[in-house]
Amino acid sequence: MKRLFRQQLNLSPKQYEGYWQRILREGVKAGELRADLDVPVVTYGLLGMLNWAYKWYKPRGRLGVREVAEQFSTLALAGLSVASPKTRPSRKRRR
Amino acid sequence: MKRLFRQQLNLSPKQYEGYWQRILREGVKAGELRADLDVPVVTYGLLGMLNWAYKWYKPRGRLGVREVAEQFSTLALAGLSVASPKTRPSRKRRR
């Protein structure tokens, strides 16, 4: 697992996790993501959601990778956003 | 894993997953959960979020089981609800 991480992402799992946390923190700071959640726990939750996919995802299953990614990003963005858009945001809020 | 499931829950993993799907479907039917998500994929996402915890949760860590459960349920409910309540106050421990 660790070797695969390094090969594919050129990151250690810890670094990968760190990037996620940084992205979430930036979103909170920008006022786009809710500030009442615990960033490390939420990061683990999201990574779990993604990492667990190897248990169930079937390349020839009902939904393709893109559709699964869309489901998960819709769910996660709705859960994390301050504005909680119920449709996939087509454009970013202007700042 | 399968044996543990049966011992602890008296359910097979498939049955357990089936219960989750049923709960989500009932929520959608009741108009409480959004209808635009794919129930099986969302179920896998939520189960992944929970099941992955064995990778990172530390009983003597910063947050207790109850707090992690609260974080996850806040996140999941916000992601799944039609109304998307942002109201649940998270009592994040500050140190």
Side-chain angles (χ1 to χ4, degrees), chain B residues 64-75:
Chain B
V65 173
R66 202 174 293 260
E67 284 156 306
V68 171
E70 210 162 290
Q71 290 285 324
F72 278 2
S73 62
T74 303
L75 183 65

Side-chain angles (χ1 to χ4, degrees), chain B residues 41-76:
Chain B
V41 168
V42 164
T43 302
Y44 285 130
L46 295 178
L47 290 177
M49 202 163 101
L50 302 177
N51 295 344
W52 197 250
Y54 82 95
K55 288 272 193 186
W56 56 269
Y57 182 71
K58 289 186 186 70
R60 294 168 182 220
R62 192 169 49 87
L63 299 185
V65 173
R66 202 174 293 260
E67 284 156 306
V68 171
E70 210 162 290
Q71 290 285 324
F72 278 2
S73 62
T74 303
L75 183 65

Side-chain angles (χ1 to χ4, degrees), chain A residues 34 36-38 40-42 44-45 48-49 51-52 56 62-63 71-72 74-75 78-82 84 86, chain B residues 34 37-38 40-41 44-45 48-49 51-52 56 62-63 71-72 74-75 78-82 84 86 90 92:
Chain A
R34 28 199 312 201
D36 63 333
L37 290 174
D38 186 84
V41 169
V42 164
Y44 286 131
M49 202 163 101
N51 294 343
W52 198 249
W56 56 269
R62 193 169 48 86
L63 298 186
Q71 290 285 323
F72 278 1
T74 303
L75 182 65
L80 291 169
S81 302
V82 166
S84 191
K86 290 298 177 195
Chain B
R34 28 198 312 200
L37 290 173
D38 186 84
V41 168
Y44 285 130
M49 202 163 101
N51 295 344
W52 197 250
W56 56 269
R62 192 169 49 87
L63 299 185
Q71 290 285 324
F72 278 2
T74 303
L75 183 65
L80 292 168
S81 300
V82 166
S84 191
K86 293 292 180 196
S90 79
K92 196 167 148 185

